Structure formats: structure tokens, C-alpha cells
Amino acid sequence: MKFIDTLALSWRTVKSNKLRTGITVAIIAFGIMALVGINTAIDAMQQKFTESFSAMGANGFTIHFREWNMSMGPRSNVNQKKKGERKLKQSSTGKPITKIQAETFRDRFQYPAVMSLSLFGSSDAVVSVANKKTNPTVRVYGGDENYAELNGYTIAVGRNLNQLDVESGRNVCVLGSELAERFFGGDPNKALEKIIRVNNLPFRVVGVLESKGTTFGMSWDNMILTSYNNVRRFFNSNQNASFTIQVKVSDVHTLDGAIDQAEGILRPVRQLEVTEENNFYIDKSDSAVAMLMRNLKFITGSALLIGLITLIGAAVGLMNIMLVSVTERTKEIGLIKAIGGRQRNVRMQFLYESILISLIGAVFGVVLGVIVGNTFSLILHTGFVLPWLWLFLGIFICTVVGLLAGLYPSLKASKLNPIEALRYE
């Protein structure tokens, strides 16, 4: 028998046992769907993280008063000295960066860069216009004239905050696009120069931001930007609230020099002795993305484990089905051998059947996995994602599963005695 004849016979056999084939295909498809679907979703998450956390690009850094840690596993402190160096005296930690310290740093930092000082105000503010009001879910940020640029926002209409707004502390704000649409409809120009009330405090709208989208259900547009002096005065009675300092240089090659100068300036501002460690943390703009990417490896490993466990179960089930098929088709095997079929032909026929069933399951699993994963990407508002590596890996794994599952049944079938097989009832 030729290869094409053996393959055609295997395909006819697979089609003739629809229920048995369908159950096995469903099990295999589920395993591949889990593998491809989760990794498609992970690729969408990576894309969203890159967009959301790299607004400043690779040429920026942020200064916090304490470590910003989102790691699922142990993480080394980037501000600690390398092993083998002289251990420094532990400084007092947990002290916020005050307004005076932040502004002093801004005045002393002469490196060619764009800088922004900011202070978080509230995550549960209520905004009202006339008889309309929001749920207590609006976030209030206090910044300066550079805050929007360094956090990936663009002014859609109106103007940004300016230096006079910040210094005078007058009640003006820039409105997030979600709030502008809620109160003023589809035309953001209607929001300009209108008076809104934030926690019952009046603010005049001087600008509206373009939409930035959502991340994990949190809208970046359900927010209000005002000056950090307003936030200190109205929204942040907590004296331990800390300023955040963001810096963006023009050339990525000068980033390390800017970080060194920032550290050298901020240490005396924070009243640190020479023998004390830093009581502030400097994070590069791409460090958050890199850290989150490392954390996603845990999810990728879990997806791989789920898919492999499912496929192992599918391989066992497929092997049992092929063994049952050998028993049911004993007379057919005897007939094939009686008319000149060789052991190799019988063996290859059963191997092809097993591989075909696995590949059909792989195709369905890949399609379903891409659909499921990109459903998640629609929620995150990212582009269409195709994880080519996992697509090919899933098909390869299914081919191996089909080969291993069909190996023993095919050997058993090829070794049957044709005379005894023909007499089998």
C-alpha cells in the first residue's frame, strides 16, 4: 500500500467513528485551548503593561519614598550595595518626601531633563455637575505643568495646568475624558470653563484629556488632575502623604548620569549621613514593566502545567480508544494482511489515525485558544494577538501525543496473526 492509500484509509476510519473521535478531540482541544488561550492573554497583558507603564519611555525614572514592589517572588533591593562592599548604617525608612524636599530637589537638579512633582489625592472622590454626580470612584491627582506629559496623557481640548496654577493654588482642573463624556456628552469643548464640584468643592475646568483606556478594569480616564498644592489643601489631610518625583531625560544614554546626580542631590535634601543607606527608591521607567514580565512567568508556567496535565490525560484516553479499535477491527486487520498488506502498513495506518485525531484536536484547541485569549485582549483594549510560538508548540505537542498514544496499539495490531485475526469473532 502506498502512503496516500494508508492515509486515506486512516481518515475514513476516523470519520466513521464520530462519537469516539469527537470525545477524544474535545479532550485534546481543551488542553491546547488552555495552553494557547492563557498565553494569548499573557501576550495581551504584556502589550498593555508596556503601553501603560512605559509612558515616559526608557529614558525616565521615578523617585519614591519607599520601594514599589509588585513581585510575586523574592526581589532584591536595587538600592542596597553589592555583596562584598562595606555595609552602610541603616537609615530611617518610611519617611515621606515632603513638599519642601521635593521642591528643593527640583530647584537644585540642573540636569537637562523634564521633571514633575506629584501627590496622590483621593481614590474615592465624588464629582457632581448640577443634578448629576458620580459614584465615589473618581481619582484625584495633584501634579504640575509636566504631569500629563510624563504620565502618558495628551490634552484633547483646552489647556494644561501651568506654573501659575500650581503656585497660586487656584481651583482649576483638567478633566479625564470619561468624566467629560458623562457630564457634557460627546463634545469635550462643552466642558471648558464649566464649574464642577469635587467632594463639594468648586473647580473650573480648563482642559480635557484624551482617553488613555483601562488596565484590568481600572479606567485611567475616570480622574481629575489639579495642582499638588490643591491636593495638599483639600484632599490630603494625611501629613504622611509623600510626593513622587518623575524625571525624563532627552537621551537614554544620559539616563544613568541623571540618576547619579539625582541621588547625589536628594541625599543631603533627605538629611542623610555619609554612612547611611538611601531612604528613597529610584525606579527606571522600564523597571516596572520588566518586573511585571518576570511575574507573568509564573502564570505562563501554570498554563503550561495545566495544558500538559490535560494532554497526558488525553494521551491515555486516546491510547485506550486505539486499543479498543484494534480489538474491534481484528478481522479487518487479518483481511489487510491476507491480501498482501505488510506489518508496516497496518502499523502506519493506526499511527496515522492517532496522529490525525490529535491534530484535529490541536486545530480546534488553537482556534478556541486564540478566541478566548483575544476576548481578554478586547477587555484590555489591546490589538489582536497571535502567539505564534505557542501555536506551533501546541501543534507539535499534539503530534507527539498522537504518536506516543498510537505507538503501542499500532505495534499490537501489526503483530496479529492474519489467520487467527480472520477467525476472530
Side-chain angles (χ1 to χ4, degrees), residues 74-336:
R75 180 191 173 201
S76 60
N77 185 349
V78 295
N79 286 276
Q80 290 184 0
K81 301 299 179 182
K82 295 180 181 179
K83 185 177 181 181
E85 293 185 3
R86 182 171 56 91
K87 186 175 181 180
L88 299 180
K89 180 182 176 182
Q90 179 65 42
S91 64
S92 57
T93 58
K95 290 184 178 180
I97 299 174
T98 65
K99 177 176 180 288
I100 294 175
Q101 291 174 347
E103 291 181 341
T104 302
F105 173 82
R106 180 189 61 192
D107 295 338
R108 295 181 181 178
F109 188 74
Q110 300 301 318
Y111 207 88
V114 180
M115 185 187 305
S116 172
L117 308 183
S118 62
L119 184 66
F120 182 72
S122 174
S123 61
D124 57 358
V126 176
V127 179
S128 60
V129 177
N131 295 325
K132 294 182 179 179
K133 69 177 182 178
T134 66
N135 294 324
T137 56
V138 179
R139 294 183 306 284
V140 179
Y141 295 98
D144 54 19
E145 64 274 14
N146 295 322
Y147 180 88
E149 176 188 350
L150 295 190
N151 286 274
Y153 287 104
T154 305
I155 302 295
V157 296
R159 67 173 178 84
N160 192 8
L161 298 177
N162 57 38
Q163 191 173 355
L164 183 59
D165 295 329
V166 178
E167 292 176 352
S168 65
R170 56 191 178 189
N171 288 22
V172 296
C173 70
V174 180
L175 208 58
S177 61
E178 184 176 321
L179 294 176
E181 184 174 355
R182 179 186 180 95
F183 291 116
F184 304 104
D187 185 6
N189 288 286
K190 294 180 180 179
L192 297 180
E193 301 303 320
K194 295 295 191 301
I195 301 298
I196 66 171
R197 303 188 76 84
V198 184
N199 288 354
N200 215 29
L201 296 168
F203 283 83
R204 179 167 58 91
V205 179
V206 296
V208 177
L209 299 170
E210 288 188 358
S211 176
K212 193 178 175 183
T214 61
T215 300
F216 292 117
M218 186 189 79
S219 173
W220 293 101
D221 305 318
N222 187 34
M223 56 81 72
I224 284 176
L225 173 62
T226 186
S227 68
Y228 59 75
N229 283 320
N230 278 340
V231 165
R232 289 182 74 245
R233 192 167 43 155
F234 297 128
F235 299 99
N236 215 318
S237 59
N238 182 9
Q239 297 301 315
N240 292 323
S242 177
F243 273 74
T244 298
I245 304 171
Q246 293 174 279
V247 180
K248 180 181 179 180
V249 297
S250 58
D251 187 355
V252 67
H253 297 99
T254 64
L255 181 62
D256 290 337
I259 292 175
D260 290 340
Q261 186 178 121
E263 184 177 356
I265 292 173
L266 194 55
R267 283 183 61 85
V269 170
R270 296 278 282 174
Q271 299 179 347
L272 292 173
E273 297 179 4
V274 176
T275 56
E276 288 183 315
E277 292 181 354
N278 291 341
N279 59 0
F280 55 88
Y281 293 86
I282 299 178
D283 289 326
K284 292 184 180 180
S285 298
D286 56 355
S287 64
V289 179
M291 180 171 57
L292 290 167
M293 295 305 104
R294 289 195 299 270
N295 291 339
L296 287 177
K297 291 180 180 179
F298 292 96
I299 304 176
T300 304
S302 300
L304 185 60
L305 183 62
I306 292 171
L308 289 178
I309 290 174
T310 307
L311 289 174
I312 289 172
V316 174
L318 180 58
M319 184 174 67
N320 288 331
I321 286 175
M322 295 306 298
L323 286 172
V324 172
S325 179
V326 170
T327 304
E328 289 180 348
R329 294 157 57 191
T330 300
K331 294 187 70 172
E332 176 189 334
I333 295 168
L335 181 60
I336 290 173

